[in-house]
Amino acid sequence: MEDISDLITSSLLEIFPSNWDVPSNLKESMTYSLLAGGKRLRPLLVITACEALGGRREVAIEAACSVEMVHTYSLIHDDLPAMDDDDYRRGKLTNHKVYGEAMAILAGDGLLTHAFFSLAQIARKHGIPSDRVLAIVEDLAEMAGPRGMVGGQVADMEGEQGLTSISQLEYIHTHKTSDLFIFSLIAGGRIAGADEAKITALRSFGHHIGLAFQIQDDILDLIGDEAKLGKKTQSDVKQDKVTYPYFIGLDESKLEVARLTHEAKRVIIEAGFPHPERLLEIADYLVNRDH
């Protein structure tokens, strides 16, 4: 994880071609959030899925960077006063607290659009067939857009007015979190030339670990260590936000995380990936993480 995190960080430092003239304050704002830390889970999933099918790490870097850009844009916008109104992210001041709301919005816009430029480089730099790259572009547009992450954000925002069923909460978690996990995995799979059976397995794996990841977030908000998390705990309670522990209790939530993780691993094992070890280890890491 550390090796891949370092690789992605160094790649993101070269986010723009050297001959591009980009306003310095925009570049600084974008870079501030991109390099603010984090586990780089989504890039990790891209590269690990690619390698699980015998693909080469260096061919997956652009796709890994693209999903990190989309994820970072969503965090910048999510922290804005009109959304969650957060002052800190990963132990640092949020983007709008440093650069102002207008620049934070534009930095997020820049990251989202540049993600698609990055995806195009998979074909230009590495010769991956255009139909595969087109499928990856289509996947990201779908899973980060109104049917995916953005739709999940809207449902989450509206849900603050009162969720009445766990199915509504699962919809939010699935689209707000799982969809980018799924994209990351199938992007890595497509780069490595996965057939449809392997893509289906990666979709299922991503859905299960994404949902488990978000439930674990709900749990950590209740019992986590603020120093490790880099943000305040009990925020869901203070905002009267409905979570998995609210619906089914803390102990049952922990069991659900374990169940989802077991199912995710089962799918990968039965699909017969050539090198599944790292994917299985990531699933175990997510269920046991404390930040």
Side-chain angles (χ1 to χ4, degrees), residues 60-104:
I61 291 174
E62 284 79 15
C65 287
S66 75
V67 73
E68 189 70 1
M69 284 186 258
V70 171
H71 175 57
T72 301
Y73 120 77
S74 74
L75 299 181
I76 293 173
H77 285 190
D78 205 33
D79 290 334
L80 288 166
M83 299 279 280
D84 286 351
D85 194 17
D86 283 324
D87 293 341
Y88 289 91
R89 168 75 64 177
R90 296 166 177 163
K92 298 178 65 174
L93 285 171
T94 47
N95 196 292
H96 68 275
K97 284 293 180 180
V98 178
Y99 298 98
E101 290 181 42
M103 185 55 66

Side-chain angles (χ1 to χ4, degrees), residues 219-229 233-234 290:
I219 293 168
L220 291 174
D221 186 73
L222 287 176
I223 62 173
D225 183 328
E226 289 185 1
K228 291 181 179 179
L229 292 169
T233 56
Q234 302 287 325
D290 58 5

Side-chain angles (χ1 to χ4, degrees), residues 215-216 219 223 248-259 287:
I215 298 172
Q216 184 71 357
I219 293 168
I223 62 173
I248 64 176
L250 186 60
D251 290 340
E252 284 298 318
S253 295
K254 292 178 180 178
L255 289 173
E256 183 65 4
V257 170
R259 185 193 69 79
V287 74

